[in-house]
Amino acid sequence: MMDEESTRTWTIDADASLQLLLDDPACPLLLQQSMTGVLSWQTRNETTVRRVLAAPRLAPQFVAALLALGTLATVEHNDSAKEVPLTELLLEPGERAAALRVPLVRELRTGRAQVARTPADAPIVAAYAAVEVHAETVRAARVALTGVWRRPAQLARGASQLVGGPLSPDRVEAAANAVRDEVAPEGDYLGSEEYRRAMAAVLTRRALRDCMRRVENL
């Protein structure tokens, strides 16, 4: 639900189902995209946010979208609570989130790209990007990928190269190459290590170009 104190924040109860999130008008487009396609209506109804956070492989693209959006998690300890970046929560599997808070930044533009054997199959590799641009300068940039790490979804450091300059084709290319050199994929029957590494760059580039188009259409 939308935070009553600020229209720039969307608060998610950890016990909410993915379908409830998808039905909420406040749900950001990037999250909507991460929950449709591979995840059926039945799966979305039966799966809670808390369950996904405990086992991200259930919905890695959903986790990637949350990471790209800069989501914060409220973690409760006895009678106290603290808010931490979702990345920290995922690194500490013993922690339990009571709620998530998604910043709804006006200048944020998002994009995604993925590759799969068929449109009905789960993505082999996927990239979810979110870029905040103000006065033609990138203030924040995050790209989360699936299929190229030991973890189901993880933020790439290479996207930070975009901060401080324009969201231009050459800077997007540099960020995509940095992501390619950063990822640590493990090959399997769906794609070799080399294939997944190459796709990390290709899909990062496509997702960021999607962000570029949204900025240009302002």
Side-chain angles (χ1 to χ4, degrees):
M1 299 179 63
M2 193 77 82
D3 192 316
E4 295 180 357
E5 296 181 358
S6 172
T7 58
R8 295 170 63 85
T9 297
W10 184 46
T11 301
I12 302 171
D13 190 304
D15 291 320
S17 70
L18 299 189
Q19 185 62 45
L20 186 62
L21 268 58
L22 187 60
D23 291 339
D24 192 325
C27 184
L29 175 62
L30 198 65
L31 273 183
Q32 294 177 28
Q33 293 172 329
S34 74
M35 291 185 283
T36 54
V38 176
L39 297 178
S40 67
W41 176 87
Q42 181 175 356
T43 298
R44 292 194 300 267
N45 270 289
E46 294 175 347
T47 306
T48 64
V49 174
R50 189 186 304 281
R51 186 180 173 196
V52 173
L53 295 179
R57 294 190 187 281
L58 292 173
Q61 285 74 47
F62 173 70
V63 176
L66 288 173
L67 290 170
L69 290 169
T71 301
L72 302 170
T74 300
V75 180
E76 295 182 339
H77 290 278
N78 299 322
D79 295 329
S80 63
K82 64 177 181 179
E83 192 171 64
V84 300
L86 180 59
T87 303
E88 291 186 18
L89 178 72
L90 295 174
L91 291 175
E92 299 292 340
E95 300 278 15
R96 287 168 57 87
L100 300 180
R101 187 165 64 87
V102 182
L104 302 178
V105 181
R106 184 186 299 271
E107 295 86 0
L108 196 70
R109 296 297 176 263
T110 61
R112 68 156 186 167
Q114 58 189 38
V115 60
R117 291 183 300 180
T118 73
D121 288 326
I124 301 171
V125 179
Y128 283 75
V131 180
E132 180 183 347
V133 180
H134 182 72
E136 299 185 358
T137 300
V138 176
R139 285 185 170 178
R142 291 177 296 273
V143 176
L145 296 103
T146 69
V148 291
W149 317 98
R150 284 184 175 273
R151 300 188 186 92
Q154 185 172 320
L155 284 170
R157 297 186 302 273
S160 63
Q161 294 192 10
L162 294 168
V163 177
L167 186 60
S168 60
D170 58 330
R171 290 170 61 81
V172 165
E173 187 68 23
N177 290 337
V179 171
R180 177 198 60 207
D181 295 339
E182 173 188 351
V183 297
E186 296 181 351
D188 60 12
Y189 71 98
L190 291 174
S192 66
E193 176 184 340
E194 293 76 14
Y195 172 79
R196 290 173 182 271
R197 185 179 297 279
M199 286 300 100
V202 169
L203 298 176
T204 295
R205 186 182 304 114
R206 290 177 183 173
L208 289 172
R209 285 178 177 174
D210 199 4
C211 295
M212 285 179 61
R213 285 191 291 271
R214 296 177 189 277
V215 170
E216 292 166 356
N217 290 334
L218 287 179

